[in-house]
Amino acid sequence: MPDARTAFTDAYARLSEVLPGLGVTELTAADEVPDGEGWVTAASLAAGGAELAAFLAWDEAKVLRDYGQRARPDVIASFGLHRYAWPACLLITVPWFLHRRVPRHPAAHVAYDRTAAGLPLGRMAVRATSFACLPDDPAAGLPGARVVADEEELRAEVRAAVAEHLEPVLAGFGPRMRRRGRALWGMATDEVVEGLWYVAHLLDEQERARHELELLLPGATKPYVGDAAFRELKGPDGTPLHTRDRASCCMFYTLRPEDTCATCPRTCDADRVGKLLAAAG
């Protein structure tokens, strides 16, 4: 499956450069979306059948191997969704953040392989059907381009593109997670924000990412839940420390109650400060 140069090739190359644990392969119109031999299509995950069960068996084995205990089935499903949705959202948000181009990636056009050697985050294969861009973008004349008027319309395209991809996937995972509606979209909100925020840190553009994400998710942008939820804490010497309040819980506390993340709703601000300082050190 050779890469085909598209309006997103540079963005995905930059993503792989700063995040080498994740691979992205662009498919041409003639390429089949890979399936089998480690690959699973987003459409098969959305179907919620045997392919999803096999996908989650990998998470169950990993939890047992890493923590020496079994997790509840709904916790396993939550872990599995996170491991898929985090990189899947980057396929849309990174081209937007870097080049103001928003690809449409329906679930039928995306596959994921998390077993690839040397790629701890896995690899994704994707075929864009169309994309939105601004009027002054040199890519505006390319096949599949759809020009929008301004930045706010482009942000609406980001929200729509992520929702188009994730909605069927959430429907597949939801019953196994014992979550529905608002709880699922809260998790989707967190994947959008935290994925791009993390990559922006690697790009040394965290400040711009916070601003962009606050505009992208200002609140009341259904089906997403809440806003980007960034806020600032102070270290012991007054140093500003940036955090956010997750809209959902990743359920890791069910395995290690004492080891929650710095954005967990269960983590108080004093503990957040300690975790943020430890991470920075």
Side-chain angles (χ1 to χ4, degrees):
M1 293 181 301
D3 284 354
R5 186 164 187 84
T6 73
F8 321 112
T9 301
D10 290 344
Y12 294 149
R14 184 71 174 124
L15 173 61
S16 293
E17 179 183 340
V18 299
L19 191 64
L22 176 66
V24 179
T25 297
E26 294 184 89
L27 304 173
T28 69
D31 291 326
E32 294 288 334
V33 176
D35 196 5
E37 297 184 354
W39 290 99
V40 60
T41 65
S44 64
L45 294 178
E51 290 88 350
L52 177 57
F55 185 83
L56 296 178
W58 188 95
D59 288 281
E60 186 172 23
K62 179 174 173 56
V63 166
L64 186 59
R65 182 173 64 250
D66 290 351
Y67 303 106
Q69 66 185 95
R70 294 191 180 277
R72 300 189 324 237
D74 60 309
V75 174
I76 292 295
S78 295
F79 290 176
L81 176 61
H82 165 67
R83 289 196 177 100
Y84 174 78
W86 194 89
C89 288
L90 293 176
L91 295 175
I92 296 167
T93 59
V94 168
W96 165 68
F97 185 70
L98 292 179
H99 300 299
R100 288 309 195 246
R101 297 169 187 171
V102 182
R104 288 294 181 121
H105 293 317
H109 293 177
V110 178
Y112 180 46
D113 174 15
R114 57 183 177 183
T115 66
L119 294 171
L121 296 176
R123 55 179 175 164
M124 306 203 80
V126 59
R127 181 170 61 230
T129 55
S130 63
F131 68 98
C133 64
L134 296 171
D136 61 351
D137 190 326
L142 294 177
R146 188 175 65 262
V147 177
V148 299
D150 53 30
E151 291 279 4
E152 180 49 42
E153 285 195 20
L154 199 63
R155 286 188 284 270
E157 289 287 336
V158 176
R159 294 189 290 267
V162 172
E164 176 188 41
H165 181 80
L166 283 187
E167 185 171 21
V169 176
L170 294 178
F173 277 86
R176 295 174 185 264
M177 295 168 61
R178 297 193 298 183
R179 301 191 202 185
R180 61 180 68 180
R182 182 178 176 83
L184 289 172
W185 283 105
M187 193 167 180
T189 302
D190 289 329
E191 303 299 353
V192 170
V193 176
E194 296 196 351
L196 185 59
W197 192 29
Y198 180 81
V199 171
H201 170 74
L202 302 177
L203 293 165
D204 198 25
E205 292 202 65
Q206 269 193 301
E207 195 64 39
R208 182 167 78 88
R210 282 194 295 272
H211 176 69
E212 297 280 9
L213 287 163
E214 285 170 343
L215 293 173
L216 178 68
L217 295 169
T221 48
K222 292 184 178 180
Y224 304 96
V225 174
D227 56 22
F230 290 111
R231 60 192 180 94
E232 187 177 285
L233 301 174
K234 296 292 185 183
D237 60 354
T239 302
L241 300 169
H242 296 283
T243 187
R244 68 177 297 266
D245 296 314
R246 287 179 58 90
S248 68
C249 180
C250 71
M251 309 297 283
F252 184 68
Y253 79 93
T254 62
L255 294 175
R256 293 290 186 272
E258 72 286 352
D259 194 23
T260 55
C261 68
T263 58
C264 178
R266 296 171 174 269
T267 305
C268 69
D269 281 358
D271 288 344
R272 288 187 187 217
V273 169
K275 290 175 183 290
L276 290 167
L277 289 173

